Amino acid sequence: MDGYLEAMNSSQIVLTIIQGDQDQTVPMECIHNMKLKVPSAEVKIISNANHQSLILANKENFTKDLEHIWASSASEN
C-alpha cells in the first residue's frame, strides 16, 4: 500500500478519501496514515457512518461527492 500512496503523492493526482467515522473495516487510523503519506489528500469524514452505511444510507450525498470529484478532475485536464 505504501508504494501506491508514494506514487499518488509524487504524481500530483488529487486523492479524495471519504470515510465514515464509525468504520471498523477501514479504521480512522488508516486514514491518518494515508494522509501522512499523501499530505495533499482531501479527507471528508461522514458522521455516524460505517463502511456500509457510508454509501448505502447516504446514496444521494455520496453520489454528489463523486460527481464533484469527477467534475473537478475533468476540469483539471
Side-chain angles (χ1 to χ4, degrees):
M1 180 70 140
D2 286 347
Y4 293 114
L5 293 174
E6 290 167 8
M8 292 287 294
N9 191 42
S10 65
S11 71
Q12 304 300 318
I13 293 173
V14 177
L15 173 63
T16 302
I17 303 167
I18 303 173
Q19 172 75 16
D21 67 349
Q22 303 298 313
D23 193 333
Q24 296 301 309
T25 304
V26 181
M28 293 297 292
E29 300 88 55
C30 292
I31 304 310
H32 174 72
N33 290 335
M34 290 174 76
K35 184 72 174 162
L36 288 174
K37 296 282 183 183
V38 186
S40 63
E42 298 173 8
V43 178
K44 182 173 184 177
I45 305 299
I46 308 299
S47 297
N48 301 314
N50 62 33
H51 200 72
Q52 277 189 318
S53 68
L54 175 67
I55 299 171
L56 299 178
N58 297 298
K59 290 177 187 175
E60 189 173 310
N61 289 332
F62 190 75
T63 300
K64 286 179 185 177
D65 287 337
L66 289 178
E67 289 171 345
H68 174 73
I69 292 166
W70 294 332
S72 297
S73 66
S75 67
E76 292 174 4
N77 293 328

